[in-house]
Amino acid sequence: MNKRTKRWVLAGGGAAAVTVIVAGVLVLWPGDDPVAEKKPDRVAPGVVAQRFFTALASGQAGQAAALTDAADAAGAVIARTQQGMPGATFHAQLGRLPQVTDDATTTEVDADVTWTLPGGVPLKHAAKLGLRLADDQWRVRWSPAVLHPQLAEGQSLAYTTTSADGALVDRTGQPVPPGFAPVVLDSVRQAVGALNGTPGWQVSVVDQAGVAVAVLQEQKAQAAKSVTVTLDPKTQAAAQVAVDQVGGQAAMLVALQPSTGEILAVAQNAATGNDPLALYGHYEPGSTFKVVTATAALTGGLATADTPVACPGKATIGTRQITNDDSFELGTVPLHRAFAASCNTSFSQLAADMPATALPQAAAYFGLTSDFTVAGITTNTGKIPPAESVPARVEAGIGQGEMQATPFGMALVAATVANGRTPVPQLIREIPTEGQAPAALPGGVANALRSMMGEVVTGGTARELAGYGGVRGKTGTAQFGDGTQSHGWFIGYRGDLAFAVLVVNGGSSKVAVAATGTFLGGL
């Protein structure tokens, strides 16, 4: 190797050495001494304690955890506690700050800690914050007990509240949803008033799954009672669909439980307006009133269900001419057959032969002359005055003239047949209805009416309902005004469900029967 070649190799080796030193973050220049990177100043333990508590108070979990000797573990627990104590504020009052010697490696700081809970309630405890030197810096010695002395590994704090408000619930025990049964719910809420209680709260030690393992402090809730409306969600929904499908005419439906009198549904369509006419609107009941007329005949000794009665297509009775629907005629048939076919001429003649007070007395059995005060709603049942003249009784016997009834009242009529006695209606279980139940139907009358109302469905004017399982009822077409317009009615029951359907100016009972089919089909 010659000298020139040797000098190049040495120079190359020198260049390589400099490169390594630069990569090591220390550069040697001629005449300089090596300078090490400056270490940060050691912060006093008392200052570290102050910074730690300040970070906790400001909700900075990461900053607080970075001041400990176990940042990852501390950060997780501090974050869980902050999330578990919503609305609570943290404050720590430090005691005397420690004076440490240069060779000290551990120390402690006393503090009075207060969690101020929502509502200003304090949760206090005394804390002893340990600190130790780690990497030549003072660090908070991490333990969950730093946050509360009863916390162990994997545990955190949680603040929870307990609602004490009562609720308005339906008969199934579920809270009444918005928009449910608007015909009655506004007045029900006025009747029951506020259902607010005093809520409770609890501060607990919880495990990583959020399960409470110890209660640190609590306030018991002072609960308000819930109030139950007797409405049944399924029945109410079916009733609303039934009246809504009617369309342009005002339609309403009232359903109740014959065995208890509890109101199960009150529904009206948009054409009815905002007033709860289903509960107190008076309308001519038409042929549905033949239930009352038949009862007056049965209890007055004028007829039994099998007594033959004439059913001509037309008849002049007193000064009134009475016509059957489409002038149909049956000749002479048993009373139950005239009832099923809704023979106006038969029932007008029966009423003409009765005393003036016979129909009001019979109506009383069905609650149509009763005065019930049902909590949460205003109700009327009917206006059934004595018919002093024969013409008045002729019209009254088929639910015309001065006879008036409400859908609510006619639902009670159906319930009376089903139950044998008018049940006392009720809407709010906790508030009894004022008013007395009428006397029970006399012996044998209820069974006779049940059979007659069954025949209406199996072979009479409501045969369209025969497929809905054990329905018994009575149709009604009620003329009003100048006699050229008619309401459509159907009243009836199935099992422990009684109901009345009215379509105002519906033209005939057919539209009410169709709505009844929709109602029963939705149950």
Side-chain angles (χ1 to χ4, degrees):
M1 180 182 294
N2 60 33
K3 293 181 179 180
R4 180 177 295 175
T5 302
K6 186 175 181 181
R7 285 197 298 273
W8 182 87
V9 170
L10 291 173
V18 170
T19 300
V20 171
I21 293 170
V22 170
V25 199
L26 182 64
V27 179
L28 293 177
W29 298 98
D32 285 350
D33 293 328
V35 179
E37 186 177 358
K38 185 177 180 180
K39 294 183 180 179
D41 294 335
R42 180 187 294 175
V43 180
V47 175
V48 172
Q50 288 177 326
R51 291 177 179 176
F52 176 74
F53 282 131
T54 299
L56 287 179
S58 61
Q60 302 298 319
Q63 291 183 16
L67 294 169
T68 71
D69 59 0
D72 291 343
V77 175
I78 294 171
R80 285 205 308 273
T81 293
Q82 289 176 345
Q83 293 170 1
M85 298 284 283
T89 59
F90 176 93
H91 175 75
Q93 180 67 46
L94 291 169
R96 182 185 298 274
L97 298 181
Q99 300 295 320
V100 296
T101 60
D102 291 341
D103 60 348
T105 58
T106 61
T107 189
E108 288 183 334
V109 177
D110 291 327
D112 292 323
V113 174
T114 301
W115 289 90
T116 303
L117 306 176
V121 178
L123 172 67
K124 297 182 177 182
H125 69 269
K128 195 173 285 291
L129 191 69
L131 297 101
R132 73 181 183 91
L133 275 178
D135 298 329
D136 202 38
Q137 294 295 325
W138 287 103
R139 303 280 184 187
V140 173
R141 187 190 299 274
W142 172 249
S143 165
V146 167
L147 301 179
H148 193 278
Q150 288 186 237
L151 289 180
E153 288 298 330
Q155 297 178 340
S156 57
L157 297 179
Y159 172 83
T160 56
T161 58
T162 303
S163 174
D165 290 347
L168 192 62
V169 299
D170 60 38
R171 69 187 298 107
T172 69
Q174 295 301 309
V176 171
F180 179 73
V183 179
V184 298
L185 260 296
D186 286 346
S187 58
V188 166
R189 288 191 174 94
Q190 292 178 10
V192 302
L195 298 173
N196 300 327
T198 303
W201 54 263
Q202 186 179 87
V203 180
S204 305
V205 174
V206 298
D207 60 20
Q208 289 180 312
V211 178
V213 297
V215 176
L216 302 179
Q217 192 167 319
E218 68 178 336
Q219 176 178 289
K220 296 290 187 181
Q222 297 178 7
K225 291 183 179 180
S226 291
V227 174
T228 303
V229 291
T230 62
L231 299 175
D232 177 67
K234 188 174 182 179
T235 307
Q236 178 66 37
Q240 194 63 55
V241 170
V243 296
D244 286 345
Q245 63 89 37
V246 170
Q249 288 95 9
M252 39 197 115
L253 190 157
V254 177
L256 48 84
Q257 188 175 43
S259 62
T260 64
E262 292 190 342
I263 298 170
L264 303 178
V266 180
Q268 298 180 175
N269 65 0
T272 308
N274 296 324
D275 291 335
L277 297 178
L279 300 173
Y280 57 64
H282 287 89
Y283 304 88
E284 294 79 0
S287 291
T288 60
F289 195 72
K290 289 173 183 172
V291 173
V292 175
T293 306
T295 300
L298 294 171
T299 57
L302 290 180
T304 68
D306 296 321
T307 297
V309 294
C311 179
K314 296 179 181 179
T316 300
I317 307 171
T319 59
R320 295 290 188 269
Q321 184 174 15
I322 303 300
T323 304
N324 293 334
D325 187 29
D326 292 331
S327 298
F328 77 85
E329 57 182 52
L330 300 178
T332 299
V333 293
L335 178 63
H336 64 81
R337 176 63 186 141
F339 183 92
S342 200
C343 185
N344 291 335
T345 53
S346 302
F347 280 82
S348 288
Q349 184 62 63
L350 282 172
D353 296 335
M354 295 177 184
T357 58
L359 291 177
Q361 288 172 355
Y365 285 118
F366 299 93
L368 288 180
T369 60
S370 297
D371 184 15
F372 295 112
T373 302
V374 184
I377 51 177
T378 299
T379 64
N380 282 307
T381 55
K383 297 177 182 178
I384 315 297
E388 300 293 345
S389 67
V390 170
R393 292 196 291 276
V394 167
E395 293 179 352
I398 55 174
Q400 302 283 176
E402 296 183 1
M403 298 299 105
Q404 298 274 297
T406 68
F408 173 76
M410 295 311 293
L412 284 176
V413 170
T416 302
V417 177
N419 188 50
R421 180 174 186 168
T422 303
V424 176
Q426 187 160 356
L427 181 61
I428 301 173
R429 284 183 176 168
E430 291 77 9
I431 308 177
T433 294
E434 297 177 14
Q436 297 296 317
L441 287 169
V445 172
N447 284 335
L449 293 174
R450 291 165 191 159
S451 178
M452 293 162 69
M453 291 173 72
E455 191 175 346
V456 170
V457 175
T458 59
T461 54
R463 288 187 292 271
E464 298 90 339
L465 301 177
Y468 290 95
V471 182
R472 300 169 188 267
K474 185 68 189 78
T475 55
T477 300
Q479 294 178 347
F480 67 97
D482 61 3
T484 62
Q485 298 171 297
S486 300
H487 303 312
W489 284 89
F490 185 80
I491 68 170
Y493 68 94
R494 184 179 71 180
D496 204 19
L497 170 69
F499 51 87
V501 179
L502 168 63
V503 179
V504 178
N505 197 20
S508 76
S509 63
K510 293 186 181 299
V511 65
V513 170
T516 301
T518 301
F519 170 59
L520 295 175
L523 298 176

